[in-house]
């Protein structure tokens, strides 16, 4: 079936182009990519390397990365260090359009832009990230996020939280609320709490950060907890679900927070709300009851909307966590599959890797990793391939993993935006 | 409608044709390791300076526990000997062309 679809797509592309530019005898198929983050930029550049014509649609002229944004919040680096423009992406041969996709029209094989134009495609890749559920916590809507940041999409929200921490007087309480899985970057809230605790310990030592968690366990838990015992016995407290960590409501005017554990009046409040695939995915019929987009584990083609591929955080990618590294590796697999499908070849069964480094302090890093493979209709972990840094590693190994995390980030940013 | 798309197509006309696909898993390696000779990554060995045999041997040593590392002893366990060899051949230094 894919082959028939593909051939029809090719014909459409050829017809459109022969009208527009009859001089070009052989014309590459056109792929539109929605979203200019890790997944979107990676898939766009990989498709260009494979000889396809690619238009990437991204509203923002600059991209601020979620990886390393916790270090910005904790005052360890300026936001400019994690901000990139799309000039390098353009130089690589991707046509970048700064506009918003308001509708995907699968039957017409085109997307509608807020600016009024349409873009025709042979195949579409959606790498649109997450949608924040502003209906999930009573009192926490989009308006409230203007004063109570989520900082779970990096940019102005990251800067807002950093400013609030900076302005807080010593002796204040910082509260961080964490939703149930699945959400973007499973260990991210705990890295954030760690780096905030580091900031408090070194700059505002009478202050404290409290994590109110909707879960009883979390990613890299033994590594974080052993670091917290060592580094932040007086500056960080984790309240799991079993101890009343689940959130009941927030009052954005009074800036109070009610959890099962009681009423809190934090000086700085950071709420990470529950998440889903973005509204565009729902409107296009790409999501199932989970709120995320089910995909074929070999091609990342939507199982609900043929011809449309979904990668990155928006995808329900089985055992793979929602991480920047996952989005990058899914992009490579998806780009090859799209190239194969457009050429009438059967895609090869892939293997995917995820690695994620976290910091408990600036020179105290550790990692989680896994290898994934398709099994029937989903991606599963290859047995024995997943795991954490050792719990008993000496300080020089923690320092080395912190350096490897920085090296990964620098290399990835060169590959994507350089 | 096609104005934007067409500019992309023309831009791409100069691009090289479809490259040989990498072995399954190999593209993920490049999320950390470069394989371009002359790459300046710190921390991760540049694979393009190694031979396929060297990469294959390193993966085998990680998998068996003979070689220490951070993430590599875990990742290497996700690939069989045959898969690891195919990855090594995908990413290694190209063999010198016969004269």
């Amino acid at each position: 079936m894919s082959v028939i679809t593909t051939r029809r797509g090719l014909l459409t592309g050829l017809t459109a182009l022969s009208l527009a530019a009859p001089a070009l005898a052989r014309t590459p198929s056109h792929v539109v990519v929605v979203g200019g983050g890790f997944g979107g930029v990676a898939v766009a550049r990989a498709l260009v390397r494979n000889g396809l014509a690619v238009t990437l649609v991204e509203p923002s002229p600059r991209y601020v990365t979620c990886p390393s944004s916790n270090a910005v919040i904790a005052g360890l680096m300026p936001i400019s260090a994690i901000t990139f423009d799309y000039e390098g992406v353009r130089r690589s041969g991707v046509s970048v359009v700064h506009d918003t996709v308001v509708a995907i029209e699968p039957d017409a094989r085109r997307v509608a832009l807020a600016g009024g134009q349409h873009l025709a495609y042979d195949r579409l890749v959606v790498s649109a990230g997450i949608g924040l559920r502003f209906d999930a916590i009573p009192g926490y809507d989009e308006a409230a996020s203007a004063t109570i940041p989520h900082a779970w999409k990096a940019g102005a929200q990251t800067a807002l939280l950093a400013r609030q921490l900076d302005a807080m007087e010593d002796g204040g309480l910082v509260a961080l609320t964490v939703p149930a899985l699945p959400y973007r970057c499973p260990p991210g809230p705990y890295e954030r709490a760690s780096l905030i605790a580091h900031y408090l310990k070194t700059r505002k030592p009478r202050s404290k950060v409290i994590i109110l968690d909707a879960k009883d366990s979390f990613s890299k838990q033994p590594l974080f907890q052993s670091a917290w015992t060592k580094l932040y016995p007086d500056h960080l407290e984790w309240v799991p679900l079993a101890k009343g960590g689940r959130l009941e409501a927030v009052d954005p005017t009074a800036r109070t927070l009610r959890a099962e554990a009681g009423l809190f009046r934090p000086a700085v409040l950071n709420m990470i709300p529950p998440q889903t695939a973005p509204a565009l995915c729902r409107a296009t019929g790409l999501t199932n009851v989970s709120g995320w987009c089910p995909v074929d584990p070999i091609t990342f083609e939507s199982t609900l909307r043929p011809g449309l591929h979904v990668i990155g955080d928006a995808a329900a990618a089985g055992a793979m966590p929602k991480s920047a590294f996952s989005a990058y590796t899914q992009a490579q697999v998806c780009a090859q599959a799209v190239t194969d499908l457009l050429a009438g070849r059967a895609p090869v069964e892939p293997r995917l890797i995820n690695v994620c480094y976290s910091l408990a302090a600036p020179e105290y890093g550790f990692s989680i990793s896994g290898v994934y493979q398709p099994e029937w209709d989903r991606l599963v972990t290859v047995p024995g391939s997943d795991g954490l840094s050792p719990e008993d590693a000496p300080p020089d190994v923690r320092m080395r993993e912190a350096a490897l995390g920085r090296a990964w980030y620098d290399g990835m940013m060169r590959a994507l935006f350089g | 409608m096609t104005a934007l798309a067409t500019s992309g197509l023309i831009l791409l006309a100069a691009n090289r044709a479809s490259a040989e696909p990498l072995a399954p898993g190999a593209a993920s390696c490049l999320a950390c390791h470069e394989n371009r000779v002359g790459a300046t990554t710190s921390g991760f060995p540049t694979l393009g300076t190694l031979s396929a045999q060297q990469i294959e041997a390193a993966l085998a040593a990680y998998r068996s526990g003979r070689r220490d590392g951070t993430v590599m002893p875990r990742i290497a366990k996700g690939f069989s000997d045959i898969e690891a060899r195919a990855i090594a051949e995908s990413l290694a230094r190209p063999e010198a062309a016969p004269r």
Side-chain angles (χ1 to χ4, degrees):
Chain A
M1 194 195 82
S2 324
V3 175
I4 295 164
T5 313
T6 300
R7 287 201 178 129
R8 198 177 51 201
L10 269 170
L11 280 174
T12 313
L14 285 170
T15 312
L17 195 82
S18 58
L19 292 173
L24 283 175
R26 285 168 60 242
T27 54
S29 300
H30 183 229
V31 180
V32 170
V33 177
V34 183
F38 281 78
V41 170
V43 79
R45 293 185 76 145
L47 288 164
V48 164
R49 283 197 297 276
N50 285 350
L52 298 171
V54 182
T55 304
L56 183 146
V57 187
E58 160 61 43
S60 173
R62 269 173 292 281
Y63 183 63
V64 184
T65 66
C66 279
S68 288
S69 68
N70 288 333
V72 172
I73 289 164
L76 297 169
M77 59 170 75
I79 199 161
S80 60
I82 61 166
T83 304
F84 300 84
D85 67 30
Y86 288 88
E87 287 315 305
V89 182
R90 284 200 176 87
R91 278 196 302 276
S92 77
V94 176
S95 176
V96 180
V97 175
H98 291 302
D99 205 332
T100 302
V101 173
V102 291
I104 297 168
E105 301 169 9
D107 293 336
R109 295 177 164 271
R110 63 180 198 175
V111 299
L113 304 182
Q117 291 143 312
H118 290 87
L119 287 174
Y121 61 79
D122 296 303
R123 289 229 165 219
L124 182 76
V125 182
V126 178
S127 184
I130 54 165
L132 297 169
R133 285 194 48 204
F134 285 118
D135 60 344
I137 303 164
Y140 195 63
D141 55 15
E142 191 155 12
S145 74
T147 52
I148 299 172
H150 52 79
W152 218 238
K153 294 181 179 183
Q157 283 277 311
T158 311
L160 175 62
L161 181 54
R163 277 201 308 277
Q164 291 185 353
L165 268 181
D166 185 56
M168 187 185 82
E169 285 180 25
D170 192 7
L173 176 69
V174 180
L176 173 65
T177 73
V178 188
L181 287 167
Y183 58 85
R184 160 180 283 176
C185 190
Y190 310 96
E191 179 189 73
R192 178 172 293 178
S194 302
L195 293 183
I196 289 175
H198 171 80
Y199 169 80
L200 299 177
K201 183 181 170 182
T202 49
R203 308 274 290 276
K204 291 168 184 169
R206 295 189 296 111
S207 316
K208 178 176 172 176
V209 57
I210 186 167
I211 307 168
L212 295 165
D213 204 332
K215 306 185 293 302
D216 281 323
S217 61
F218 59 88
S219 176
K220 302 177 185 167
Q221 184 169 355
L223 296 168
F224 275 115
Q225 287 188 315
S226 113
W228 293 344
T229 305
K230 263 189 293 229
L231 302 173
Y232 312 122
D234 303 322
H235 293 96
L236 189 153
E237 183 181 350
W238 176 56
V239 182
L241 174 66
K243 299 269 178 67
R246 189 182 8 226
L247 213 52
E248 290 174 346
V250 62
D251 182 338
T253 313
R255 297 183 66 83
T256 55
L257 191 66
R258 202 174 67 242
E260 283 169 14
L263 189 74
F264 296 84
R265 195 182 299 275
V268 173
L269 178 48
N270 174 203
M271 301 192 59
I272 305 169
Q275 296 151 37
T276 65
L280 178 69
C281 297
R282 280 199 303 283
T284 312
L286 290 166
T287 54
N288 63 14
V289 289
S290 75
W292 305 96
C293 306
V295 291
D296 178 273
I298 296 177
T299 60
F300 287 88
E301 185 167 1
S302 167
T303 56
L304 303 175
R305 288 285 187 180
L308 277 55
H309 299 250
V310 185
I311 58 171
D313 292 345
M320 290 193 85
K322 299 186 185 302
S323 72
F325 199 115
S326 289
Y328 175 86
T329 55
Q330 290 169 12
Q332 305 308 317
V333 167
C334 180
Q336 191 56 51
V338 165
T339 305
D340 289 341
L341 290 168
L342 287 170
R345 290 188 299 262
V348 175
E349 187 181 285
R351 293 287 182 279
L352 300 100
I353 300 174
N354 177 62
V355 179
C356 169
Y357 295 95
S358 293
L359 294 174
E363 295 300 331
Y364 190 120
F366 39 70
S367 60
I368 188 168
S369 59
V371 182
Y372 304 89
Q373 65 185 6
E375 186 180 283
W376 187 232
D377 63 346
R378 62 194 305 267
L379 285 162
V380 300
T381 307
V382 177
S385 72
D386 59 332
L388 299 173
S389 304
E391 277 179 56
D392 57 354
D396 66 300
V397 172
R398 302 289 187 229
M399 197 179 283
R400 176 156 169 73
E401 288 218 277
L404 288 172
R406 287 192 295 272
W408 171 76
Y409 182 83
D410 293 344
M412 180 58 56
M413 292 305 108
R414 277 197 303 276
L416 294 180
F417 292 97
Chain B
M1 175 193 93
T2 49
L4 289 166
T6 308
S7 69
L9 292 173
I10 289 167
L11 220 157
L12 259 293
N15 223 283
R16 69 189 168 84
S18 191
E20 182 77 11
L22 297 173
S28 289
C29 305
L30 300 178
C32 298
H33 300 271
E34 294 206 47
N35 71 336
R36 191 166 49 80
V37 177
T40 53
T41 45
S42 57
F44 307 107
T46 302
L47 298 176
T49 62
L50 302 173
S51 69
Q53 288 81 358
Q54 285 172 310
I55 296 173
E56 193 184 341
L59 288 170
Y62 281 130
R63 191 163 58 247
S64 69
R66 280 179 286 120
R67 181 167 171 174
D68 275 344
T70 52
V71 300
M72 284 311 299
R74 291 175 255 151
I75 288 172
K77 290 186 181 69
F79 297 94
S80 69
D81 287 342
I82 291 166
E83 291 167 341
R85 176 174 305 160
I87 288 173
E89 283 167 0
S90 267
L91 299 179
R93 175 186 72 207
E95 297 304 326
R99 284 172 185 275

